[in-house]
């Protein structure tokens, strides 16, 4: 994952930036990871690994969302 997208995900997961995907699975992943970050702020790297695993499994879904997230 490139540094720009990683920085944007950090803002989204910390709740500094609101992002809603058109895909329910992505929204559920983000919501779950936001709760995980809220409970343990040191878990950001583990959250990024989960996002990377999701992206590897569903590249076509994530490609659209990555473009939208970079535009935030």
């Amino acid at each position: 994952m490139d540094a720009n997208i990683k920085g944007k995900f950090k803002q989204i997961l910390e709740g500094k930036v609101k992002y809603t995907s058109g895909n329910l699975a992505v929204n559920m992943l983000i919501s779950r990871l936001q709760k995980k970050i809220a409970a343990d702020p040191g878990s950001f790297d583990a959250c990024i690994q989960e996002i990377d695993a999701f992206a590897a499994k569903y590249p076509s879904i994530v490609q659209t969302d990555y473009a939208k997230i970079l535009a935030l």
Side-chain angles (χ1 to χ4, degrees):
M1 176 180 300
D2 114 331
N4 291 332
I5 193 79
K6 191 173 182 179
K8 294 287 186 176
F9 267 116
K10 184 172 177 79
Q11 291 176 340
I12 291 168
L13 296 180
E14 290 176 347
K16 295 177 183 175
V17 174
K18 182 162 174 48
Y19 175 72
T20 304
S21 172
N23 186 291
L24 179 61
V26 174
N27 288 331
M28 290 174 59
L29 176 67
I30 289 172
S31 178
R32 186 173 55 77
L33 295 180
Q34 284 174 329
K35 290 175 187 173
K36 187 174 182 176
I37 289 283
D40 179 14
S43 65
F44 178 70
D45 288 332
C47 291
I48 291 297
Q49 289 176 350
E50 285 189 50
I51 293 168
D52 283 338
F54 183 84
K57 193 170 184 178
Y58 306 105
S60 61
I61 293 172
V62 177
Q63 186 177 23
T64 305
D65 284 301
Y66 276 17
K68 291 178 183 177
I69 289 169
L70 280 173
L72 293 175

